[in-house]
Amino acid sequence: QVRLVESGGGLVQAGGSLRLSCAASGRTFSVYTMGWFRQAPGNEREFVAAITSSGSSTDYTDSVKGRFTISRDNAKNTLYLQMNSLKPEDTAAYYCAANSDWYTGRRYPDRYSVSGQGTQVTVSS
């Protein structure tokens, strides 16, 4: 079973940038569809971005298109989320997740086999 550990969260002013990382243990990272989700207090966990196992295809929720970029380095077993032009409404705990079907499950957190513990992102206005 793969284990996921997120890092890179923090406090940033509106308009700033952060890069989140998700380090995966195990040798099967390269075969997994990977996703990023976020959850603000009182809200359900929501989809942010997903990437295929090879990195050839990506998907984003509308509110982050043009601002966030998901990428992966299979040689380093690491998933990334580059977040630019951050807004206060991006404030949430961010989670990476592994192993979902790209066509039927990439946007749903319960369709992934494994999730990390999360990293907090706070954007001040």
Side-chain angles (χ1 to χ4, degrees):
Q1 183 82 325
V2 68
R3 180 171 176 264
L4 305 174
V5 179
E6 302 96 337
S7 62
L11 174 64
V12 64
Q13 289 189 330
S17 298
L18 284 174
R19 187 174 83 154
L20 305 184
S21 298
C22 171
S25 63
R27 287 181 279 184
T28 55
F29 173 79
S30 63
V31 306
Y32 291 145
T33 288
M34 298 293 295
W36 284 102
F37 293 82
R38 65 188 179 186
Q39 188 167 16
N43 291 354
E44 293 185 353
R45 193 166 296 192
E46 66 172 0
F47 170 74
V48 176
I51 188 167
T52 54
S53 57
S54 67
S56 60
S57 294
T58 57
D59 184 29
Y60 299 90
T61 192
D62 286 348
S63 63
V64 309
K65 284 180 180 177
R67 300 188 299 123
F68 290 11
T69 302
I70 188 172
S71 63
R72 66 191 298 163
D73 185 335
N74 286 343
K76 296 182 178 180
N77 280 9
T78 303
L79 176 73
Y80 302 100
L81 185 68
Q82 178 66 44
M83 305 186 295
N84 298 328
S85 302
L86 282 161
K87 304 175 181 181
E89 51 264 43
D90 295 317
T91 295
Y94 282 72
Y95 301 86
C96 62
N99 194 17
S100 177
D101 181 84
W102 175 258
Y103 296 101
T104 63
R106 67 183 183 269
R107 289 187 165 223
Y108 306 101
D110 59 351
R111 303 277 181 93
Y112 285 76
S113 298
V114 183
S115 291
Q117 293 300 305
T119 185
Q120 179 67 34
V121 172
T122 302
V123 185
S124 63
S125 58

